[in-house]
Amino acid sequence: MMHLMIAGNVGRDSEVRTTQSGKSNASWSVACDTGFGQNKTTTWVRCTMWGERGEKLSAYIKKGTKMVATGEPTINEYVAKDGTTKVSLELRVSEVKLMGGGENEPVDNYKPPQQDELDDSIPF
C-alpha cells in the first residue's frame, strides 16, 4: 500500500454525502503549493474520509483551514464539461491534523502539566 502526506489549505468547505448503501463520507479539496514566486505551482488534491470520523471532522474542515492529511492516493481520469480528458489526484484520508485558520478554528484542548503535577523521579 502507498501512503501520501499532503499539507495545504482547504479550498472549499467539507461536504458530507451518503451512498445508496448507507455509508457516509466527507470530501473536500486541498491546495498544495510548491515553489516560490514565479516558480510557484498549486496542486489540488481531492480528499475523502469515510465513516463517522469523516462526518464529525467535517464540521471543522472549512475553506482556508490549514491541514496535513495522510492517506492512500489514487489517480482519477475523467472527461470535463468541455470534452477534454482530465486527471485528478485523490486521497482516501486516514489521518488529519488541523493547523488552524478558516472560519471555525478548532479549539485546542491541550493544557500543559503544572509544575506540581510533574514527577521528577527517574524510573531507572
mmCIF file with all atom_site columns, all heavy atoms in Angstrom, residues 86-113:
data_model
loop_
_atom_site.group_PDB
_atom_site.id
_atom_site.type_symbol
_atom_site.label_atom_id
_atom_site.label_alt_id
_atom_site.label_comp_id
_atom_site.label_asym_id
_atom_site.label_entity_id
_atom_site.label_seq_id
_atom_site.pdbx_PDB_ins_code
_atom_site.Cartn_x
_atom_site.Cartn_y
_atom_site.Cartn_z
_atom_site.occupancy
_atom_site.B_iso_or_equiv
_atom_site.pdbx_formal_charge
_atom_site.auth_seq_id
_atom_site.auth_comp_id
_atom_site.auth_asym_id
_atom_site.auth_atom_id
_atom_site.pdbx_PDB_model_num
ATOM 1   N N   . LYS A 1 86  ? -9.290  14.844 -18.302 1.00 0.00 ? 86  LYS A N   1
ATOM 2   C CA  . LYS A 1 86  ? -8.545  15.434 -17.187 1.00 0.00 ? 86  LYS A CA  1
ATOM 3   C C   . LYS A 1 86  ? -8.134  14.336 -16.219 1.00 0.00 ? 86  LYS A C   1
ATOM 4   O O   . LYS A 1 86  ? -8.697  13.245 -16.218 1.00 0.00 ? 86  LYS A O   1
ATOM 5   C CB  . LYS A 1 86  ? -9.399  16.454 -16.433 1.00 0.00 ? 86  LYS A CB  1
ATOM 6   C CG  . LYS A 1 86  ? -9.965  17.554 -17.280 1.00 0.00 ? 86  LYS A CG  1
ATOM 7   C CD  . LYS A 1 86  ? -8.958  18.619 -17.510 1.00 0.00 ? 86  LYS A CD  1
ATOM 8   C CE  . LYS A 1 86  ? -9.615  19.780 -18.266 1.00 0.00 ? 86  LYS A CE  1
ATOM 9   N NZ  . LYS A 1 86  ? -8.736  20.884 -18.440 1.00 0.00 ? 86  LYS A NZ  1
ATOM 10  N N   . VAL A 1 87  ? -7.161  14.655 -15.377 1.00 0.00 ? 87  VAL A N   1
ATOM 11  C CA  . VAL A 1 87  ? -6.683  13.732 -14.351 1.00 0.00 ? 87  VAL A CA  1
ATOM 12  C C   . VAL A 1 87  ? -6.683  14.470 -13.024 1.00 0.00 ? 87  VAL A C   1
ATOM 13  O O   . VAL A 1 87  ? -6.288  15.631 -12.945 1.00 0.00 ? 87  VAL A O   1
ATOM 14  C CB  . VAL A 1 87  ? -5.256  13.241 -14.684 1.00 0.00 ? 87  VAL A CB  1
ATOM 15  C CG1 . VAL A 1 87  ? -4.714  12.348 -13.588 1.00 0.00 ? 87  VAL A CG1 1
ATOM 16  C CG2 . VAL A 1 87  ? -5.232  12.508 -16.016 1.00 0.00 ? 87  VAL A CG2 1
ATOM 17  N N   . SER A 1 88  ? -7.146  13.798 -11.971 1.00 0.00 ? 88  SER A N   1
ATOM 18  C CA  . SER A 1 88  ? -7.119  14.409 -10.645 1.00 0.00 ? 88  SER A CA  1
ATOM 19  C C   . SER A 1 88  ? -6.436  13.467 -9.655  1.00 0.00 ? 88  SER A C   1
ATOM 20  O O   . SER A 1 88  ? -6.491  12.251 -9.788  1.00 0.00 ? 88  SER A O   1
ATOM 21  C CB  . SER A 1 88  ? -8.533  14.736 -10.162 1.00 0.00 ? 88  SER A CB  1
ATOM 22  O OG  . SER A 1 88  ? -9.267  13.563 -9.933  1.00 0.00 ? 88  SER A OG  1
ATOM 23  N N   . LEU A 1 89  ? -5.793  14.084 -8.666  1.00 0.00 ? 89  LEU A N   1
ATOM 24  C CA  . LEU A 1 89  ? -5.163  13.339 -7.586  1.00 0.00 ? 89  LEU A CA  1
ATOM 25  C C   . LEU A 1 89  ? -6.156  13.283 -6.438  1.00 0.00 ? 89  LEU A C   1
ATOM 26  O O   . LEU A 1 89  ? -6.675  14.316 -6.011  1.00 0.00 ? 89  LEU A O   1
ATOM 27  C CB  . LEU A 1 89  ? -3.872  14.027 -7.149  1.00 0.00 ? 89  LEU A CB  1
ATOM 28  C CG  . LEU A 1 89  ? -3.122  13.425 -5.968  1.00 0.00 ? 89  LEU A CG  1
ATOM 29  C CD1 . LEU A 1 89  ? -2.742  11.964 -6.243  1.00 0.00 ? 89  LEU A CD1 1
ATOM 30  C CD2 . LEU A 1 89  ? -1.884  14.251 -5.658  1.00 0.00 ? 89  LEU A CD2 1
ATOM 31  N N   . GLU A 1 90  ? -6.443  12.081 -5.949  1.00 0.00 ? 90  GLU A N   1
ATOM 32  C CA  . GLU A 1 90  ? -7.395  11.904 -4.865  1.00 0.00 ? 90  GLU A CA  1
ATOM 33  C C   . GLU A 1 90  ? -6.722  11.191 -3.711  1.00 0.00 ? 90  GLU A C   1
ATOM 34  O O   . GLU A 1 90  ? -5.801  10.405 -3.907  1.00 0.00 ? 90  GLU A O   1
ATOM 35  C CB  . GLU A 1 90  ? -8.620  11.140 -5.357  1.00 0.00 ? 90  GLU A CB  1
ATOM 36  C CG  . GLU A 1 90  ? -9.315  11.886 -6.483  1.00 0.00 ? 90  GLU A CG  1
ATOM 37  C CD  . GLU A 1 90  ? -10.643 11.293 -6.895  1.00 0.00 ? 90  GLU A CD  1
ATOM 38  O OE1 . GLU A 1 90  ? -11.099 10.325 -6.251  1.00 0.00 ? 90  GLU A OE1 1
ATOM 39  O OE2 . GLU A 1 90  ? -11.221 11.818 -7.850  1.00 0.00 ? 90  GLU A OE2 1
ATOM 40  N N   . LEU A 1 91  ? -7.174  11.485 -2.509  1.00 0.00 ? 91  LEU A N   1
ATOM 41  C CA  . LEU A 1 91  ? -6.580  10.911 -1.311  1.00 0.00 ? 91  LEU A CA  1
ATOM 42  C C   . LEU A 1 91  ? -7.678  10.360 -0.410  1.00 0.00 ? 91  LEU A C   1
ATOM 43  O O   . LEU A 1 91  ? -8.573  11.100 0.009   1.00 0.00 ? 91  LEU A O   1
ATOM 44  C CB  . LEU A 1 91  ? -5.783  11.993 -0.565  1.00 0.00 ? 91  LEU A CB  1
ATOM 45  C CG  . LEU A 1 91  ? -4.954  11.546 0.621   1.00 0.00 ? 91  LEU A CG  1
ATOM 46  C CD1 . LEU A 1 91  ? -3.805  10.644 0.162   1.00 0.00 ? 91  LEU A CD1 1
ATOM 47  C CD2 . LEU A 1 91  ? -4.392  12.755 1.366   1.00 0.00 ? 91  LEU A CD2 1
ATOM 48  N N   . ARG A 1 92  ? -7.617  9.064  -0.159  1.00 0.00 ? 92  ARG A N   1
ATOM 49  C CA  . ARG A 1 92  ? -8.535  8.447  0.815   1.00 0.00 ? 92  ARG A CA  1
ATOM 50  C C   . ARG A 1 92  ? -7.872  8.623  2.176   1.00 0.00 ? 92  ARG A C   1
ATOM 51  O O   . ARG A 1 92  ? -6.932  7.912  2.538   1.00 0.00 ? 92  ARG A O   1
ATOM 52  C CB  . ARG A 1 92  ? -8.760  6.974  0.499   1.00 0.00 ? 92  ARG A CB  1
ATOM 53  C CG  . ARG A 1 92  ? -9.757  6.347  1.434   1.00 0.00 ? 92  ARG A CG  1
ATOM 54  C CD  . ARG A 1 92  ? -10.084 4.936  1.036   1.00 0.00 ? 92  ARG A CD  1
ATOM 55  N NE  . ARG A 1 92  ? -11.036 4.394  1.984   1.00 0.00 ? 92  ARG A NE  1
ATOM 56  C CZ  . ARG A 1 92  ? -11.968 3.534  1.669   1.00 0.00 ? 92  ARG A CZ  1
ATOM 57  N NH1 . ARG A 1 92  ? -12.080 3.102  0.442   1.00 0.00 ? 92  ARG A NH1 1
ATOM 58  N NH2 . ARG A 1 92  ? -12.793 3.098  2.587   1.00 0.00 ? 92  ARG A NH2 1
ATOM 59  N N   . VAL A 1 93  ? -8.359  9.600  2.928   1.00 0.00 ? 93  VAL A N   1
ATOM 60  C CA  . VAL A 1 93  ? -7.690  10.079 4.134   1.00 0.00 ? 93  VAL A CA  1
ATOM 61  C C   . VAL A 1 93  ? -7.853  9.105  5.303   1.00 0.00 ? 93  VAL A C   1
ATOM 62  O O   . VAL A 1 93  ? -8.950  8.632  5.584   1.00 0.00 ? 93  VAL A O   1
ATOM 63  C CB  . VAL A 1 93  ? -8.240  11.470 4.522   1.00 0.00 ? 93  VAL A CB  1
ATOM 64  C CG1 . VAL A 1 93  ? -7.616  11.964 5.809   1.00 0.00 ? 93  VAL A CG1 1
ATOM 65  C CG2 . VAL A 1 93  ? -8.010  12.464 3.389   1.00 0.00 ? 93  VAL A CG2 1
ATOM 66  N N   . SER A 1 94  ? -6.724  8.851  5.982   1.00 0.00 ? 94  SER A N   1
ATOM 67  C CA  . SER A 1 94  ? -6.760  8.035  7.195   1.00 0.00 ? 94  SER A CA  1
ATOM 68  C C   . SER A 1 94  ? -6.395  8.859  8.426   1.00 0.00 ? 94  SER A C   1
ATOM 69  O O   . SER A 1 94  ? -6.840  8.555  9.529   1.00 0.00 ? 94  SER A O   1
ATOM 70  C CB  . SER A 1 94  ? -5.816  6.841  7.066   1.00 0.00 ? 94  SER A CB  1
ATOM 71  O OG  . SER A 1 94  ? -4.503  7.276  6.799   1.00 0.00 ? 94  SER A OG  1
ATOM 72  N N   . GLU A 1 95  ? -5.586  9.905  8.247   1.00 0.00 ? 95  GLU A N   1
ATOM 73  C CA  . GLU A 1 95  ? -5.173  10.768 9.358   1.00 0.00 ? 95  GLU A CA  1
ATOM 74  C C   . GLU A 1 95  ? -5.291  12.230 8.943   1.00 0.00 ? 95  GLU A C   1
ATOM 75  O O   . GLU A 1 95  ? -4.948  12.581 7.821   1.00 0.00 ? 95  GLU A O   1
ATOM 76  C CB  . GLU A 1 95  ? -3.718  10.500 9.745   1.00 0.00 ? 95  GLU A CB  1
ATOM 77  C CG  . GLU A 1 95  ? -3.429  9.084  10.174  1.00 0.00 ? 95  GLU A CG  1
ATOM 78  C CD  . GLU A 1 95  ? -3.955  8.768  11.552  1.00 0.00 ? 95  GLU A CD  1
ATOM 79  O OE1 . GLU A 1 95  ? -4.008  9.685  12.396  1.00 0.00 ? 95  GLU A OE1 1
ATOM 80  O OE2 . GLU A 1 95  ? -4.334  7.612  11.783  1.00 0.00 ? 95  GLU A OE2 1
ATOM 81  N N   . VAL A 1 96  ? -5.753  13.085 9.858   1.00 0.00 ? 96  VAL A N   1
ATOM 82  C CA  . VAL A 1 96  ? -5.878  14.518 9.601   1.00 0.00 ? 96  VAL A CA  1
ATOM 83  C C   . VAL A 1 96  ? -5.340  15.281 10.792  1.00 0.00 ? 96  VAL A C   1
ATOM 84  O O   . VAL A 1 96  ? -5.612  14.923 11.942  1.00 0.00 ? 96  VAL A O   1
ATOM 85  C CB  . VAL A 1 96  ? -7.353  14.934 9.388   1.00 0.00 ? 96  VAL A CB  1
ATOM 86  C CG1 . VAL A 1 96  ? -7.493  16.437 9.319   1.00 0.00 ? 96  VAL A CG1 1
ATOM 87  C CG2 . VAL A 1 96  ? -7.921  14.305 8.150   1.00 0.00 ? 96  VAL A CG2 1
ATOM 88  N N   . LYS A 1 97  ? -4.583  16.336 10.506  1.00 0.00 ? 97  LYS A N   1
ATOM 89  C CA  . LYS A 1 97  ? -4.169  17.267 11.557  1.00 0.00 ? 97  LYS A CA  1
ATOM 90  C C   . LYS A 1 97  ? -4.561  18.654 11.088  1.00 0.00 ? 97  LYS A C   1
ATOM 91  O O   . LYS A 1 97  ? -4.087  19.123 10.062  1.00 0.00 ? 97  LYS A O   1
ATOM 92  C CB  . LYS A 1 97  ? -2.673  17.191 11.805  1.00 0.00 ? 97  LYS A CB  1
ATOM 93  C CG  . LYS A 1 97  ? -2.240  18.171 12.872  1.00 0.00 ? 97  LYS A CG  1
ATOM 94  C CD  . LYS A 1 97  ? -0.926  17.835 13.466  1.00 0.00 ? 97  LYS A CD  1
ATOM 95  C CE  . LYS A 1 97  ? -0.589  18.905 14.472  1.00 0.00 ? 97  LYS A CE  1
ATOM 96  N NZ  . LYS A 1 97  ? -0.191  18.430 15.724  1.00 0.00 ? 97  LYS A NZ  1
ATOM 97  N N   . LEU A 1 98  ? -5.463  19.287 11.825  1.00 0.00 ? 98  LEU A N   1
ATOM 98  C CA  . LEU A 1 98  ? -5.898  20.644 11.501  1.00 0.00 ? 98  LEU A CA  1
ATOM 99  C C   . LEU A 1 98  ? -4.926  21.622 12.132  1.00 0.00 ? 98  LEU A C   1
ATOM 100 O O   . LEU A 1 98  ? -4.604  21.517 13.308  1.00 0.00 ? 98  LEU A O   1
ATOM 101 C CB  . LEU A 1 98  ? -7.316  20.881 12.012  1.00 0.00 ? 98  LEU A CB  1
ATOM 102 C CG  . LEU A 1 98  ? -8.376  19.932 11.440  1.00 0.00 ? 98  LEU A CG  1
ATOM 103 C CD1 . LEU A 1 98  ? -9.714  20.175 12.097  1.00 0.00 ? 98  LEU A CD1 1
ATOM 104 C CD2 . LEU A 1 98  ? -8.478  20.079 9.939   1.00 0.00 ? 98  LEU A CD2 1
ATOM 105 N N   . MET A 1 99  ? -4.470  22.577 11.320  1.00 0.00 ? 99  MET A N   1
ATOM 106 C CA  . MET A 1 99  ? -3.447  23.514 11.765  1.00 0.00 ? 99  MET A CA  1
ATOM 107 C C   . MET A 1 99  ? -4.010  24.896 12.081  1.00 0.00 ? 99  MET A C   1
ATOM 108 O O   . MET A 1 99  ? -3.283  25.797 12.398  1.00 0.00 ? 99  MET A O   1
ATOM 109 C CB  . MET A 1 99  ? -2.361  23.644 10.692  1.00 0.00 ? 99  MET A CB  1
ATOM 110 C CG  . MET A 1 99  ? -1.803  22.319 10.212  1.00 0.00 ? 99  MET A CG  1
ATOM 111 S SD  . MET A 1 99  ? -1.078  21.337 11.520  1.00 0.00 ? 99  MET A SD  1
ATOM 112 C CE  . MET A 1 99  ? 0.449   22.188 11.701  1.00 0.00 ? 99  MET A CE  1
ATOM 113 N N   . GLY A 1 100 ? -5.323  25.091 11.937  1.00 0.00 ? 100 GLY A N   1
ATOM 114 C CA  . GLY A 1 100 ? -5.947  26.369 12.246  1.00 0.00 ? 100 GLY A CA  1
ATOM 115 C C   . GLY A 1 100 ? -6.354  27.111 10.996  1.00 0.00 ? 100 GLY A C   1
ATOM 116 O O   . GLY A 1 100 ? -6.193  26.631 9.876   1.00 0.00 ? 100 GLY A O   1
ATOM 117 N N   . GLY A 1 101 ? -6.899  28.298 11.192  1.00 0.00 ? 101 GLY A N   1
ATOM 118 C CA  . GLY A 1 101 ? -7.387  29.090 10.073  1.00 0.00 ? 101 GLY A CA  1
ATOM 119 C C   . GLY A 1 101 ? -8.830  28.741 9.783   1.00 0.00 ? 101 GLY A C   1
ATOM 120 O O   . GLY A 1 101 ? -9.473  27.995 10.503  1.00 0.00 ? 101 GLY A O   1
ATOM 121 N N   . GLY A 1 102 ? -9.367  29.264 8.712   1.00 0.00 ? 102 GLY A N   1
ATOM 122 C CA  . GLY A 1 102 ? -10.751 29.006 8.355   1.00 0.00 ? 102 GLY A CA  1
ATOM 123 C C   . GLY A 1 102 ? -11.706 29.701 9.309   1.00 0.00 ? 102 GLY A C   1
ATOM 124 O O   . GLY A 1 102 ? -11.304 30.399 10.233  1.00 0.00 ? 102 GLY A O   1
ATOM 125 N N   . GLU A 1 103 ? -12.986 29.522 9.089   1.00 0.00 ? 103 GLU A N   1
ATOM 126 C CA  . GLU A 1 103 ? -13.994 30.211 9.893   1.00 0.00 ? 103 GLU A CA  1
ATOM 127 C C   . GLU A 1 103 ? -14.175 29.594 11.275  1.00 0.00 ? 103 GLU A C   1
ATOM 128 O O   . GLU A 1 103 ? -14.328 30.291 12.255  1.00 0.00 ? 103 GLU A O   1
ATOM 129 C CB  . GLU A 1 103 ? -15.341 30.197 9.164   1.00 0.00 ? 103 GLU A CB  1
ATOM 130 C CG  . GLU A 1 103 ? -15.336 31.031 7.910   1.00 0.00 ? 103 GLU A CG  1
ATOM 131 C CD  . GLU A 1 103 ? -16.661 30.964 7.192   1.00 0.00 ? 103 GLU A CD  1
ATOM 132 O OE1 . GLU A 1 103 ? -17.669 30.584 7.812   1.00 0.00 ? 103 GLU A OE1 1
ATOM 133 O OE2 . GLU A 1 103 ? -16.685 31.283 6.004   1.00 0.00 ? 103 GLU A OE2 1
ATOM 134 N N   . ASN A 1 104 ? -14.194 28.276 11.348  1.00 0.00 ? 104 ASN A N   1
ATOM 135 C CA  . ASN A 1 104 ? -14.430 27.597 12.622  1.00 0.00 ? 104 ASN A CA  1
ATOM 136 C C   . ASN A 1 104 ? -13.159 26.947 13.105  1.00 0.00 ? 104 ASN A C   1
ATOM 137 O O   . ASN A 1 104 ? -13.020 25.743 13.095  1.00 0.00 ? 104 ASN A O   1
ATOM 138 C CB  . ASN A 1 104 ? -15.524 26.534 12.480  1.00 0.00 ? 104 ASN A CB  1
ATOM 139 C CG  . ASN A 1 104 ? -16.858 27.134 12.161  1.00 0.00 ? 104 ASN A CG  1
ATOM 140 O OD1 . ASN A 1 104 ? -17.122 28.268 12.494  1.00 0.00 ? 104 ASN A OD1 1
ATOM 141 N ND2 . ASN A 1 104 ? -17.701 26.381 11.504  1.00 0.00 ? 104 ASN A ND2 1
ATOM 142 N N   . GLU A 1 105 ? -12.221 27.762 13.550  1.00 0.00 ? 105 GLU A N   1
ATOM 143 C CA  . GLU A 1 105 ? -10.950 27.214 14.009  1.00 0.00 ? 105 GLU A CA  1
ATOM 144 C C   . GLU A 1 105 ? -11.191 26.335 15.225  1.00 0.00 ? 105 GLU A C   1
ATOM 145 O O   . GLU A 1 105 ? -11.809 26.758 16.197  1.00 0.00 ? 105 GLU A O   1
ATOM 146 C CB  . GLU A 1 105 ? -10.000 28.354 14.360  1.00 0.00 ? 105 GLU A CB  1
ATOM 147 C CG  . GLU A 1 105 ? -8.626  27.863 14.704  1.00 0.00 ? 105 GLU A CG  1
ATOM 148 C CD  . GLU A 1 105 ? -7.633  29.002 14.824  1.00 0.00 ? 105 GLU A CD  1
ATOM 149 O OE1 . GLU A 1 105 ? -7.827  30.039 14.199  1.00 0.00 ? 105 GLU A OE1 1
ATOM 150 O OE2 . GLU A 1 105 ? -6.664  28.815 15.563  1.00 0.00 ? 105 GLU A OE2 1
ATOM 151 N N   . PRO A 1 106 ? -10.725 25.068 15.187  1.00 0.00 ? 106 PRO A N   1
ATOM 152 C CA  . PRO A 1 106 ? -10.961 24.179 16.317  1.00 0.00 ? 106 PRO A CA  1
ATOM 153 C C   . PRO A 1 106 ? -10.233 24.666 17.568  1.00 0.00 ? 106 PRO A C   1
ATOM 154 O O   . PRO A 1 106 ? -9.179  25.263 17.483  1.00 0.00 ? 106 PRO A O   1
ATOM 155 C CB  . PRO A 1 106 ? -10.411 22.834 15.852  1.00 0.00 ? 106 PRO A CB  1
ATOM 156 C CG  . PRO A 1 106 ? -9.666  23.079 14.621  1.00 0.00 ? 106 PRO A CG  1
ATOM 157 C CD  . PRO A 1 106 ? -10.018 24.436 14.113  1.00 0.00 ? 106 PRO A CD  1
ATOM 158 N N   . VAL A 1 107 ? -10.820 24.397 18.707  1.00 0.00 ? 107 VAL A N   1
ATOM 159 C CA  . VAL A 1 107 ? -10.215 24.786 19.965  1.00 0.00 ? 107 VAL A CA  1
ATOM 160 C C   . VAL A 1 107 ? -9.234  23.706 20.369  1.00 0.00 ? 107 VAL A C   1
ATOM 161 O O   . VAL A 1 107 ? -9.532  22.523 20.347  1.00 0.00 ? 107 VAL A O   1
ATOM 162 C CB  . VAL A 1 107 ? -11.304 24.943 21.048  1.00 0.00 ? 107 VAL A CB  1
ATOM 163 C CG1 . VAL A 1 107 ? -10.682 25.256 22.395  1.00 0.00 ? 107 VAL A CG1 1
ATOM 164 C CG2 . VAL A 1 107 ? -12.296 26.001 20.634  1.00 0.00 ? 107 VAL A CG2 1
ATOM 165 N N   . ASP A 1 108 ? -8.047  24.109 20.743  1.00 0.00 ? 108 ASP A N   1
ATOM 166 C CA  . ASP A 1 108 ? -7.029  23.171 21.188  1.00 0.00 ? 108 ASP A CA  1
ATOM 167 C C   . ASP A 1 108 ? -7.240  22.912 22.673  1.00 0.00 ? 108 ASP A C   1
ATOM 168 O O   . ASP A 1 108 ? -7.106  23.821 23.485  1.00 0.00 ? 108 ASP A O   1
ATOM 169 C CB  . ASP A 1 108 ? -5.650  23.754 20.921  1.00 0.00 ? 108 ASP A CB  1
ATOM 170 C CG  . ASP A 1 108 ? -4.537  22.778 21.232  1.00 0.00 ? 108 ASP A CG  1
ATOM 171 O OD1 . ASP A 1 108 ? -4.841  21.635 21.652  1.00 0.00 ? 108 ASP A OD1 1
ATOM 172 O OD2 . ASP A 1 108 ? -3.375  23.144 21.054  1.00 0.00 ? 108 ASP A OD2 1
ATOM 173 N N   . ASN A 1 109 ? -7.606  21.696 23.027  1.00 0.00 ? 109 ASN A N   1
ATOM 174 C CA  . ASN A 1 109 ? -7.900  21.374 24.416  1.00 0.00 ? 109 ASN A CA  1
ATOM 175 C C   . ASN A 1 109 ? -6.672  20.966 25.218  1.00 0.00 ? 109 ASN A C   1
ATOM 176 O O   . ASN A 1 109 ? -6.784  20.568 26.362  1.00 0.00 ? 109 ASN A O   1
ATOM 177 C CB  . ASN A 1 109 ? -8.940  20.246 24.487  1.00 0.00 ? 109 ASN A CB  1
ATOM 178 C CG  . ASN A 1 109 ? -10.279 20.713 23.987  1.00 0.00 ? 109 ASN A CG  1
ATOM 179 O OD1 . ASN A 1 109 ? -10.646 21.867 24.171  1.00 0.00 ? 109 ASN A OD1 1
ATOM 180 N ND2 . ASN A 1 109 ? -11.001 19.841 23.330  1.00 0.00 ? 109 ASN A ND2 1
ATOM 181 N N   . TYR A 1 110 ? -5.490  21.060 24.623  1.00 0.00 ? 110 TYR A N   1
ATOM 182 C CA  . TYR A 1 110 ? -4.272  20.676 25.321  1.00 0.00 ? 110 TYR A CA  1
ATOM 183 C C   . TYR A 1 110 ? -3.952  21.676 26.424  1.00 0.00 ? 110 TYR A C   1
ATOM 184 O O   . TYR A 1 110 ? -3.971  22.884 26.223  1.00 0.00 ? 110 TYR A O   1
ATOM 185 C CB  . TYR A 1 110 ? -3.100  20.595 24.350  1.00 0.00 ? 110 TYR A CB  1
ATOM 186 C CG  . TYR A 1 110 ? -1.784  20.342 25.048  1.00 0.00 ? 110 TYR A CG  1
ATOM 187 C CD1 . TYR A 1 110 ? -1.503  19.092 25.581  1.00 0.00 ? 110 TYR A CD1 1
ATOM 188 C CD2 . TYR A 1 110 ? -0.855  21.357 25.216  1.00 0.00 ? 110 TYR A CD2 1
ATOM 189 C CE1 . TYR A 1 110 ? -0.321  18.856 26.238  1.00 0.00 ? 110 TYR A CE1 1
ATOM 190 C CE2 . TYR A 1 110 ? 0.332   21.134 25.867  1.00 0.00 ? 110 TYR A CE2 1
ATOM 191 C CZ  . TYR A 1 110 ? 0.603   19.874 26.377  1.00 0.00 ? 110 TYR A CZ  1
ATOM 192 O OH  . TYR A 1 110 ? 1.769   19.645 27.033  1.00 0.00 ? 110 TYR A OH  1
ATOM 193 N N   . LYS A 1 111 ? -3.693  21.163 27.619  1.00 0.00 ? 111 LYS A N   1
ATOM 194 C CA  . LYS A 1 111 ? -3.293  22.002 28.739  1.00 0.00 ? 111 LYS A CA  1
ATOM 195 C C   . LYS A 1 111 ? -1.975  21.441 29.261  1.00 0.00 ? 111 LYS A C   1
ATOM 196 O O   . LYS A 1 111 ? -1.929  20.281 29.674  1.00 0.00 ? 111 LYS A O   1
ATOM 197 C CB  . LYS A 1 111 ? -4.370  21.954 29.829  1.00 0.00 ? 111 LYS A CB  1
ATOM 198 C CG  . LYS A 1 111 ? -4.028  22.752 31.051  1.00 0.00 ? 111 LYS A CG  1
ATOM 199 C CD  . LYS A 1 111 ? -5.114  22.589 32.107  1.00 0.00 ? 111 LYS A CD  1
ATOM 200 C CE  . LYS A 1 111 ? -4.632  23.182 33.405  1.00 0.00 ? 111 LYS A CE  1
ATOM 201 N NZ  . LYS A 1 111 ? -5.468  22.777 34.518  1.00 0.00 ? 111 LYS A NZ  1
ATOM 202 N N   . PRO A 1 112 ? -0.899  22.235 29.231  1.00 0.00 ? 112 PRO A N   1
ATOM 203 C CA  . PRO A 1 112 ? 0.380   21.711 29.703  1.00 0.00 ? 112 PRO A CA  1
ATOM 204 C C   . PRO A 1 112 ? 0.313   21.364 31.192  1.00 0.00 ? 112 PRO A C   1
ATOM 205 O O   . PRO A 1 112 ? -0.425  22.005 31.956  1.00 0.00 ? 112 PRO A O   1
ATOM 206 C CB  . PRO A 1 112 ? 1.370   22.847 29.445  1.00 0.00 ? 112 PRO A CB  1
ATOM 207 C CG  . PRO A 1 112 ? 0.562   24.052 29.197  1.00 0.00 ? 112 PRO A CG  1
ATOM 208 C CD  . PRO A 1 112 ? -0.814  23.613 28.803  1.00 0.00 ? 112 PRO A CD  1
ATOM 209 N N   . PRO A 1 113 ? 1.064   20.345 31.622  1.00 0.00 ? 113 PRO A N   1
ATOM 210 C CA  . PRO A 1 113 ? 1.036   19.974 33.041  1.00 0.00 ? 113 PRO A CA  1
ATOM 211 C C   . PRO A 1 113 ? 1.594   21.093 33.913  1.00 0.00 ? 113 PRO A C   1
ATOM 212 O O   . PRO A 1 113 ? 2.511   21.799 33.513  1.00 0.00 ? 113 PRO A O   1
ATOM 213 C CB  . PRO A 1 113 ? 1.907   18.720 33.105  1.00 0.00 ? 113 PRO A CB  1
ATOM 214 C CG  . PRO A 1 113 ? 2.728   18.742 31.872  1.00 0.00 ? 113 PRO A CG  1
ATOM 215 C CD  . PRO A 1 113 ? 1.969   19.519 30.850  1.00 0.00 ? 113 PRO A CD  1
#
